[in-house]
Amino acid sequence: MRASFPAAARSSVPASLPAALKSCTALGLRALAASLHALALRSGAFADRFVANALLNLYCKLPPASYPSPVMHGTARVSQVAALESARKVFDEMADKDTVSWNTLVVFCTEKGQHQEALGLIREMWGDGCKPDSFTLSSMLPIFAERADVRRGMEVHGFATRNGFGDDVFVGSGLINMYANCTRTDYSVKVFDNLPGRDAILWNSMLAGCAQNGSAEEALEICRRMLHSGIRPMPVTFSSLIPVCGNLASLHLGKQLHAYVVFGGLDGNVFITSSLIDMYCKCGDVSTARHIFDRLQSPDIVSWTVMIMGHALHGPEREALVLFDRMELGDVKPNDITFLAVLTACSHAGLVDKGWKYFNSMSDHYGIVPSLEHHAALADILGRAGKLEEAYNFISNMQIKPTASVWSTLLRACKVQKNTVLAEEVARRIFELEPRSMGSHVTLSNAYSSSGRWNEAATLRKSMRKKGMKKEPACSWIEVKNKRHVFVAHDKSHPWYERIVGALNVFSEQMARQGYVPNTEDVFQDIEEEQKSHVLCGHSEKLAMVFGIISTPPGTTIRVMKNLRVCVDCHTVTKFISKIVGREIVMRDANRFHHFKDGNCSCGDFW
DNA sequence: TTAGGGTTAG
């Protein structure tokens, strides 16, 4: 027999239920929530719009526990579909739906990445006579942000303006992010500047939008303006801004932010510490990164991954594998990005068997399907280890269609191994997919040159010029006394140019006495050997390094950054100079970090 | 009374 409620109790049920359900949702009280659901049905309170909406929200935030727990991608998807179905069931049973009901479901779908379902619901909502409001619009914008669909994002913007939501801060922050993701930070700034009042989250939206899209200078400018407006920096301000320092490789700026973090007592925030570890790695100071990492009580997956990647790029690569194995023993499970880091370590260390082992364990032990990037990483491991044929077969037999970037890892390996026959075949494949691939044209031309096939190299260069293709100019930079100095080859514009060349000549004489012979392999022009060594003398990384040495006190570590890979001769020269001046020289190129000390390099001459 | 915005790794 079902208990019936006294009339007085029944009337008070709807008033108190929404708040009670909200508390259950917030505190994760599933059992109590289930009882309240039963109560709502028995008492008739479910007919109340507020009660039903609160229940719907409960089902979205706290789906019934009987569904499989979301562990890996595949299972999580099943779980989300089941959760949506259960929420939808509650929704369909509602007699009195309003905009809140629709929005609750829409938000649930967008947050779970079920974008098609969300857009379908919004169409259904229109058909039901319920017009989208600011909640709906701010939920739609992240969908077009992720798809970088600026056209549809702009349609939402237009709708918002026409319907009186142009001043809404939630719609505003959605628009700022959407435009930033579509690489239109200029529009983000316009939206931001036109919003009334000031809102701390909007400032952080602006900052994050610029930071995530490579607009480093703009991000710093936003930060200056924010502080000037009296908005205090928040934890999220630091976790957005610190990666900017890493991308600029600006160690002095990164250290300043680190100091603010420590003084503000924010060094326990996992977002901030992960970004600090990554920043120090990217700025060439891996030992400080490791120092921070070693003091973490319980590193999360991002902290582990950035530290593993740090060792993969700086060496010792085996330390990256030691960390990975340590992580596997704990509670934190590796994800697809962690595997990219560990495969990078295998590539730089030349560990073919381990590379295969980790690659296979992704699907065997973790249910992670290897992506194009993982395939490219394994192809790189094989190619760099000289197993060109194995790499070729591996790429040819991939389950997913290889892209030009996968093939290009093999092309670079062919150049290093001086196998121009295979290089031509691989380049043919690349040009079928990407006829104007600049990097691959240059690599093939360099492969011809370093094998002495000057005519083919010249013909290829000529056809590149004809097609209007220009090689990215090499440049290197160094920070001295908080100022960045940028050099291109034979750059005479620097005020210290004469002094740099003078010092370089002195070093050349010392190196010659110690047995140095210029390595002209990377001079891709058919000129006399003597001229080639002159070309080598002016390479941007040498200019930046020598400037660093003569403008800093003895013993100071020199950190040079280069946009392309370091050339073979510069690598040899830097080894000699590190010994002559007794300094550690760190050089970041497009592929990894080189730590030169006492005449040796951490890459073991394998890069 | 019920729904929404900003952060770390490739």
Side-chain angles (χ1 to χ4, degrees):
Chain A
M1 219 32 182
R2 186 175 282 187
S4 63
F5 280 84
R10 212 166 35 233
S11 64
S12 67
V13 165
S16 54
L17 261 183
L21 285 165
K22 198 177 180 179
S23 304
C24 290
T25 309
L27 298 169
L29 306 174
R30 274 203 173 83
L32 182 56
S35 306
L36 292 176
H37 189 185
L39 173 67
L41 292 174
R42 266 184 293 158
S43 64
F46 184 71
D48 181 271
R49 188 158 38 104
F50 290 97
V51 173
N53 280 338
L55 258 176
L56 182 62
N57 186 42
L58 169 85
Y59 268 72
C60 290
K61 298 274 168 55
L62 215 63
S66 54
Y67 297 118
S69 65
V71 182
M72 300 314 301
H73 298 306
T75 334
R77 173 78 191 170
V78 170
S79 169
Q80 280 165 23
V81 169
L84 176 60
E85 276 171 7
S86 77
R88 180 73 205 218
K89 196 159 170 282
V90 175
F91 179 84
D92 287 340
E93 284 166 0
M94 288 172 65
D96 187 16
K97 299 182 186 72
D98 63 1
T99 319
V100 175
S101 330
W102 285 103
N103 283 340
T104 306
L105 266 193
V106 169
V107 167
F108 173 76
C109 290
T110 50
E111 279 185 351
K112 300 288 183 231
Q114 300 192 33
H115 294 166
Q116 276 313 117
E117 288 86 346
L119 294 174
L121 276 168
I122 293 166
R123 272 191 295 273
E124 235 185 291
M125 178 178 178
W126 269 99
D128 207 45
C130 215
K131 218 175 155 192
D133 65 0
S134 63
F135 280 79
T136 329
L137 301 180
S138 62
S139 307
M140 289 170 85
L141 287 166
I143 300 176
F144 302 128
E146 194 184 289
R147 296 177 179 179
D149 187 345
V150 75
R151 193 181 60 81
R152 296 201 64 190
M154 277 176 136
E155 284 173 15
V156 177
H157 190 176
F159 182 90
T161 311
R162 288 192 303 275
N163 289 275
F165 304 119
D167 288 349
D168 184 279
V169 285
F170 291 88
V171 174
S173 66
L175 287 170
I176 288 169
N177 287 335
M178 182 274 296
Y179 282 127
N181 269 21
C182 298
T183 61
R184 293 306 305 253
T185 44
D186 52 336
Y187 285 181
S188 297
V189 174
K190 275 186 189 156
V191 171
F192 179 72
D193 286 340
N194 284 328
L195 281 165
R198 284 297 179 240
D199 176 320
I201 290 183
L202 282 178
W203 279 101
N204 286 306
S205 297
M206 254 331 286
L207 181 52
C210 294
Q212 288 164 0
N213 288 284
S215 310
E217 299 298 338
E218 269 179 294
L220 293 171
E221 180 55 30
I222 293 289
C223 186
R224 280 184 212 110
R225 280 178 56 192
M226 174 177 159
L227 297 175
H228 191 70
S229 308
I231 307 276
R232 284 172 63 85
M234 297 150 83
V236 60
T237 316
F238 289 100
S239 42
S240 295
L241 208 52
I242 290 167
V244 169
C245 308
N247 295 334
L248 289 172
S250 177
L251 188 57
H252 87 275
L253 199 55
K255 280 181 170 171
Q256 280 182 32
L257 288 175
H258 189 181
Y260 279 117
V261 165
V262 173
F263 286 127
L266 297 172
D267 43 350
N269 179 305
V270 69
F271 286 90
I272 295 179
T273 46
S274 296
S275 61
L276 279 172
I277 295 167
D278 191 49
M279 180 276 292
Y280 277 109
C281 288
K282 289 193 172 130
C283 292
D285 187 353
V286 69
S287 54
T288 302
R290 185 60 194 259
H291 184 80
I292 298 171
F293 177 81
D294 284 340
R295 271 152 193 76
L296 292 181
Q297 296 269 319
S298 44
D300 72 347
I301 185 60
V302 179
S303 334
W304 279 107
T305 304
V306 293
M307 200 61 249
I308 292 169
M309 188 56 112
H311 284 302
L313 296 180
H314 284 269
E317 294 86 359
R318 282 173 193 278
E319 192 55 30
L321 306 187
V322 168
L323 281 185
F324 183 84
D325 293 345
R326 243 177 70 194
M327 188 186 85
E328 271 192 312
L329 293 174
D331 294 333
V332 181
K333 295 289 161 241
N335 63 19
D336 52 337
I337 306 175
T338 323
F339 275 103
L340 278 180
V342 88
L343 290 171
T344 303
C346 293
S347 166
H348 291 170
L351 301 171
V352 176
D353 292 345
K354 288 223 167 185
W356 272 116
K357 189 195 93 175
Y358 288 120
F359 184 85
N360 290 329
S361 80
M362 290 176 65
S363 42
D364 292 352
H365 298 141
Y366 295 101
I368 302 172
V369 180
S371 69
L372 274 172
E373 286 79 14
H374 297 103
H375 284 85
L378 191 70
D380 192 47
I381 292 173
L382 298 170
R384 285 160 56 93
K387 297 177 181 295
L388 298 180
E389 200 179 327
E390 194 179 340
Y392 183 86
N393 290 335
F394 172 72
I395 299 176
S396 305
N397 295 315
M398 278 169 56
Q399 296 287 317
I400 25 179
K401 190 172 183 273
T403 54
S405 74
V406 178
W407 283 112
S408 61
T409 61
L410 180 55
L411 182 61
R412 281 193 294 272
C414 291
K415 186 253 157 185
V416 173
Q417 311 282 338
K418 297 190 170 48
N419 185 334
T420 45
V421 176
L422 188 59
E424 282 174 325
E425 163 63 15
V426 172
R428 192 181 59 76
R429 300 235 177 198
I430 295 170
F431 299 150
E432 273 171 17
L433 297 163
E434 267 183 29
R436 293 181 62 85
S437 166
M438 184 67 222
S440 298
H441 277 87
V442 173
T443 310
L444 181 61
S445 155
N446 292 353
Y448 283 138
S449 307
S450 53
S451 312
R453 291 170 65 176
W454 302 107
N455 287 341
E456 282 103 327
T459 310
L460 188 59
R461 295 262 170 181
K462 206 171 160 186
S463 92
M464 285 163 69
R465 271 195 299 275
K466 225 174 171 178
K467 290 178 195 163
M469 297 167 82
K470 267 189 170 173
K471 191 186 166 188
E472 183 187 358
C475 76
S476 299
W477 65 97
I478 184 168
E479 261 188 6
V480 173
K481 296 192 183 81
N482 298 345
K483 192 172 176 264
R484 172 182 296 217
H485 299 258
V486 185
F487 295 86
V488 294
H490 298 283
D491 188 349
K492 293 181 181 154
S493 64
H494 196 276
W496 283 40
Y497 180 72
E498 294 302 328
R499 273 186 269 185
I500 294 168
V501 171
L504 202 48
N505 288 336
V506 174
F507 285 136
S508 293
E509 284 166 20
Q510 288 172 297
M511 292 192 305
R513 282 198 292 276
Q514 293 176 20
Y516 161 73
V517 180
N519 182 326
T520 53
E521 190 185 294
D522 278 354
V523 178
F524 303 118
Q525 302 159 29
D526 187 12
I527 50 177
E528 295 303 318
E529 287 298 313
E530 199 178 324
Q531 283 175 288
K532 282 186 186 174
S533 39
H534 171 72
V535 173
L536 288 167
C537 283
H539 272 186
S540 63
E541 54 267 54
K542 289 198 186 92
L543 299 178
M545 168 181 61
V546 172
F547 170 68
I549 291 169
I550 61 177
S551 61
T552 56
T556 311
T557 300
I558 302 294
R559 294 175 212 276
V560 174
M561 310 287 163
K562 189 185 175 186
N563 62 339
L564 306 177
R565 287 189 190 214
V566 61
C567 96
V568 177
D569 185 66
C570 287
H571 194 267
T572 309
V573 166
T574 311
K575 286 200 287 185
F576 273 98
I577 293 181
S578 73
K579 195 171 181 186
I580 292 169
V581 299
R583 297 211 206 184
E584 186 176 355
I585 300 167
V586 183
M587 205 171 269
R588 186 190 84 178
D589 74 4
N591 194 40
R592 63 165 297 150
F593 283 86
H594 303 261
H595 289 251
F596 299 91
K597 205 175 173 186
D598 298 328
N600 296 305
C601 179
S602 61
C603 77
D605 302 336
F606 184 72
W607 79 96

